[in-house]
Amino acid sequence: MTGADAVVRSLEALGTDIVFGLPGGAVLPLYESLFAAEKLRHVLVRHEQGAGHAATGYAQASGKVGVCIATSGPGATNLITAIADAYLDSVPVLAITGQVGSPLIGTDAFQEADIRGITMPITKHNVMVRSAEDIPAAIAEAHHIASTGRPGPVLVDIPKDVQNEEFEFTWPPVMDLPGYKPNTKPHSRQIGQAARMIAQAERPVLYIGGGVLKAEAHEELLAFANETGVPVVTTLMALGVFPQSHPLYMGMPGMHGSVPAVGALQEADLLIAIGTRFDDRVTGDTDTFAPEAKTIHADIDPAEVGKIRQVDVPIVGDAKRVLSQLTDAFKDGKATTPKIGAWIERLNGLKERFPRGYDPQSDGSLSPQYVIETLSAEVGPDAIYVAGVGQHQMWAAQFIDFEKPRTWLNSGGLGTMGYAIPAAMGAKAGAPDKEVWAIDGDGCFQMTNQEITTAAMEGFPFKVALINNGNLGMVRQWQTLFYGGHYSHTKLGGDVYVPDFVKLSEALGAEAIRVTTEEEVLPAIKRAREINDRPVVIEFIVGEDAQVWPMISAGSSNSDIQYAMNIRPFFDLEESAGEAPEDIDDVVEIETEKGN
């Protein structure tokens, strides 16, 4: 068979059922093979970036490796943003690119680009295949590397002549990866030391990142929390890995995290950090982050342990094994349950004092928080929610009630505008029986809305809650707070909303609904849920001045968190013990009366 046939056969043997791509000259032999493929479905995207994000959404929703295909030169370079996005969020993606013929490599041939060199910093591994007989092993190795250890994107570049070359195909190939041996088994001595430290702690907190979700360790996390009574905070990438209705759940920490979650980290005497990388959006100023806490840090990637914060007990291993063995240490009596009743009472006090809430828009316009809160209440925790990047992403993280893993997809590390629409399509492909909602902003939507057409033609009927405030909302918020209200090039619509998203969505093949009042929100959501033969876009026209609170300014101390404009709770163990300014009571009382 040909090298192109071998790519298809290899993917099928690895269990791949769908690929997202766009053909071009250097990858036409592979598309000839895809034309005859019986087990492998190809989804024709409208832009290669959409193929990459769709592969990411598929992987995040299904737990499998997402696969995307592009031709050489501009086709391959259009994948770069999606590859970088998958790299920073540790998503298993296999990107297959065509390359100009071997004799032309290095001659600046038509549509030639050194995609290996370009993507080396943003892939877990990449390779150019020089011989057709090497293709089965190259695809198998790429799939293995992408999906094991700390997951991530891998790129396989195949010259056109190699795709046409004939050879004798055999499977399975012999994989030769002598330098790749992820350590999944934690050291028992480190587990024991961590258990003893937890037993002695007075204010411990489980600081949980996306690595726990990727390790499918949600049941082990729940078991450990129940066994020890240690409170839990989950990062933006880990929402859903621990049920938010659980009494030990304190919320999401970080720049727009909840006061109880931020307070738990700031006042802790022990951080049990698992599958998280101490991202700057969580820590703020690292010199003032969790100042009195010792640190246990467990991660499957040894490069992350101790990279940002000095660690007292480092553990390298799979999160599922780490949590299971820590739980066993307490069950077997090797460690005693920590006595932390006063600590839990303190954090519950913060939950009562600083509830989730928002202020109505002063101009009477529709509040975006109300939209998302209503969506969550109506659709429920079984759906998959996919967010773009910006204010709507943070409101979704704050106002959707996540109870189950793999129900929250977003671009966390790279913060990629345009992620939501293609990723939602990929999520629907990976979990066809799930209801999928993309929560997008008008700025993000205008970057990748062409994939609505792909979804309409390919039969992926996901829904879109389009939060239209006529602005690049998060940038506008920063301009409001830090740049004197100088709205430099952030207004997208204004009094005249351009484009008309209802007409645009209909032209792309979707059903479209426009909502401007609270009374219209729930009926529109119900109507969208009844339509399952094509995508649905609901345009919610909201006020342009809505802001995301709480907030910690970039680079500031987490102790300087603002609960609302000019209202800041204090985290000072020695003096105020978390007491807030006097006027915070008035704000909480108002929000309680609103039922928020």
Side-chain angles (χ1 to χ4, degrees):
M1 68 171 61
T2 66
D5 293 334
V7 173
V8 173
R9 286 281 297 275
S10 299
L11 289 174
E12 290 176 339
L14 290 164
T16 304
D17 55 359
I18 192 167
V19 298
F20 305 89
L22 190 71
V27 79
L28 278 178
L30 176 54
Y31 273 82
E32 179 68 13
S33 298
L34 285 168
F35 183 77
E38 296 181 356
K39 300 178 182 178
L40 196 59
R41 179 184 179 184
H42 178 274
V43 174
L44 175 62
V45 297
R46 270 50 185 176
H47 191 285
E48 291 90 351
Q49 182 179 345
H53 289 318
T56 296
Y58 173 90
Q60 289 176 309
S62 68
K64 302 176 182 178
V65 175
V67 181
C68 54
I69 299 173
T71 191
S72 65
T77 58
N78 278 344
L79 286 176
I80 289 173
T81 297
I83 291 172
D85 181 88
Y87 182 74
L88 285 175
D89 285 346
S90 303
V91 181
V93 169
L94 170 55
I96 300 172
T97 54
Q99 186 54 272
V100 299
S102 299
L104 296 175
I105 293 175
T107 68
D108 293 331
F110 177 67
Q111 291 194 333
E112 180 188 3
D114 179 12
I115 195 63
R116 277 202 68 211
I118 292 169
T119 60
M120 193 167 291
I122 55 170
T123 52
K124 192 176 175 184
H125 171 72
N126 66 24
V127 63
M128 178 186 287
V129 183
R130 293 289 193 168
S131 172
E133 65 181 9
D134 294 332
I135 286 177
I139 297 295
E141 289 169 0
H143 191 278
H144 176 71
I145 292 171
S147 58
T148 57
R150 178 180 183 175
V154 176
L155 182 139
V156 178
D157 196 33
I158 311 176
K160 188 172 183 179
D161 58 311
V162 176
Q163 296 173 50
N164 284 320
E165 183 183 331
E166 294 190 352
F167 76 111
E168 191 71 29
F169 178 85
T170 60
W171 189 270
V174 176
M175 292 195 295
D176 184 22
L177 297 169
Y180 182 70
K181 296 180 179 179
N183 179 28
T184 61
K185 185 179 180 180
H187 198 289
S188 59
R189 184 181 302 168
Q190 301 302 94
I191 292 291
Q193 187 175 350
R196 289 189 293 273
M197 187 175 287
I198 295 167
Q200 296 168 4
E202 295 180 355
R203 300 185 305 278
V205 60
L206 277 157
Y207 166 27
I208 300 299
V212 175
L213 188 150
K214 291 172 175 61
E216 302 287 354
H218 51 282
E219 292 182 356
E220 286 76 12
L221 172 60
L222 181 61
F224 178 74
N226 285 335
E227 181 68 27
T228 61
V230 175
V232 178
V233 303
T234 56
T235 67
L236 178 69
M237 296 306 298
L239 293 176
V241 77
F242 191 81
Q244 294 189 0
S245 59
H246 196 288
L248 289 174
Y249 185 68
M250 297 299 145
M252 178 185 75
M255 178 175 282
H256 294 293
S258 71
V259 173
V262 173
L265 294 178
Q266 285 303 95
E267 297 185 2
D269 65 357
L270 177 64
L271 299 182
I272 310 163
I274 303 179
T276 186
R277 56 190 179 90
F278 288 85
D279 180 75
D280 62 283
R281 282 300 192 261
V282 171
T283 66
D285 178 8
T286 54
D287 290 337
T288 61
F289 175 69
E292 298 191 8
K294 293 182 178 179
T295 303
I296 299 166
H297 190 185
D299 202 287
I300 200 165
D301 185 355
E304 291 295 344
V305 180
K307 183 177 79 173
I308 302 298
R309 183 183 176 95
Q310 184 175 343
V311 177
D312 297 280
V313 181
I315 304 175
V316 176
D318 178 74
K320 196 178 188 76
R321 290 189 173 189
V322 170
L323 285 162
S324 179
Q325 291 182 24
L326 281 173
T327 303
D328 289 343
F330 286 90
K331 281 186 175 181
D332 297 343
K334 297 176 183 176
T336 57
T337 303
K339 295 179 174 58
I340 55 174
W343 173 232
I344 297 298
E345 184 178 350
R346 161 73 176 137
L347 295 180
N348 285 336
L350 287 179
K351 289 171 73 173
E352 293 177 6
R353 194 170 180 80
F354 301 100
R356 181 173 75 180
Y358 57 91
D359 292 323
Q361 293 298 287
S362 58
D363 60 1
S365 57
L366 183 60
S367 295
Q369 300 97 323
Y370 176 82
V371 171
I372 295 172
E373 193 173 49
T374 304
L375 178 67
S376 176
E378 169 63 20
V379 176
D382 291 325
I384 295 175
Y385 300 92
V386 187
V389 169
Q391 287 182 314
H392 59 279
Q393 175 192 26
M394 294 297 103
W395 287 319
Q398 291 174 340
F399 289 94
I400 292 174
D401 297 314
F402 297 102
E403 296 290 318
K404 300 179 181 181
R406 298 197 183 279
T407 55
W408 166 246
L409 282 59
N410 80 125
S411 172
L414 195 63
T416 306
M417 292 180 67
Y419 165 90
I421 298 302
M425 178 175 66
K428 189 63 178 177
D433 296 332
K434 290 276 191 177
E435 187 173 347
V436 177
W437 280 84
I439 300 170
D440 217 2
D442 49 323
C444 291
F445 186 77
Q446 292 185 73
M447 294 190 174
T448 53
N449 60 61
Q450 66 272 5
E451 302 309 336
I452 292 285
T453 296
T454 306
M457 294 190 68
E458 295 283 348
F460 298 118
F462 63 90
K463 330 292 183 186
V464 181
L466 175 57
I467 308 299
N468 184 2
N469 65 0
N471 286 266
L472 298 173
M474 187 61 83
V475 183
R476 178 186 171 90
Q477 176 166 335
W478 281 50
Q479 288 173 336
T480 298
L481 299 176
F482 310 120
Y483 293 90
H486 299 155
Y487 301 119
S488 176
H489 305 289
T490 49
K491 185 174 283 295
L492 296 171
D495 296 332
V496 179
Y497 283 85
V498 179
D500 184 323
F501 287 112
V502 168
K503 292 180 179 178
L504 175 61
S505 299
E506 290 174 343
L508 293 170
E511 180 81 9
I513 306 167
R514 178 174 289 124
V515 171
T516 60
T517 67
E518 285 192 2
E519 292 74 21
E520 298 172 321
V521 172
L522 185 56
I525 294 171
K526 288 180 178 291
R527 170 61 182 147
R529 300 188 72 194
E530 295 171 351
I531 301 171
N532 290 301
D533 60 346
R534 59 197 180 280
V536 183
V537 176
I538 310 177
E539 178 193 21
F540 296 98
I541 297 179
V542 302
E544 66 179 3
D545 290 320
Q547 295 190 349
V548 184
W549 299 102
M551 181 175 178
I552 302 166
S553 302
S556 298
S557 169
N558 277 3
S559 295
D560 292 328
I561 185 173
Q562 289 179 250
Y563 181 65
M565 180 73 81
N566 300 321
I567 300 176
R568 179 175 70 88
F570 299 145
F571 294 120
D572 186 302
L573 288 171
E574 294 182 359
E575 297 181 6
S576 64
E579 289 298 320
E582 292 181 2
D583 56 356
I584 193 68
D585 285 325
D586 298 330
V587 175
V588 174
E589 183 178 350
I590 292 171
E591 289 171 346
T592 302
E593 290 176 354
K594 291 189 318 189
N596 294 322

